[in-house]
Amino acid sequence: PSLRFVAGRPADYAVGSVSERFTESDGVWLVRDQAGIFALLAQCTHLGCRPRWFGDERNSLGVRAS
């Protein structure tokens, strides 16, 4: 994926939210918390596959907790 993309304005992302808007096109989840907005690479470092974000069931890595 490209290292640059236009994500919009900070106001487009509520604090505590995770956006999957750019997961398919740019391979990232955008996460906003009190500290700011972060782009997390949506790619497994083990096999290179794309994990899914599971909302309230997620752990800190964005994958389903067992």
Side-chain angles (χ1 to χ4, degrees):
S2 174
L3 296 178
R4 293 178 159 231
F5 62 95
V6 177
R9 300 174 184 267
D12 295 340
Y13 305 95
V15 173
S17 70
V18 176
S19 174
E20 296 183 79
R21 180 177 165 191
F22 300 100
T23 304
E24 289 300 318
S25 61
D26 298 291
V28 297
W29 294 300
L30 291 182
V31 179
R32 183 163 190 190
D33 67 10
Q34 296 291 345
I37 299 174
F38 304 89
L40 300 179
L41 182 62
Q43 182 176 359
C44 171
T45 58
H46 176 238
L47 297 174
C49 59
R50 178 163 294 148
R52 295 182 305 170
W53 193 273
F54 285 98
D56 290 339
E57 298 176 37
R58 74 186 184 279
N59 61 23
S60 62
L61 299 176
V63 295
R64 185 182 304 275
S66 307

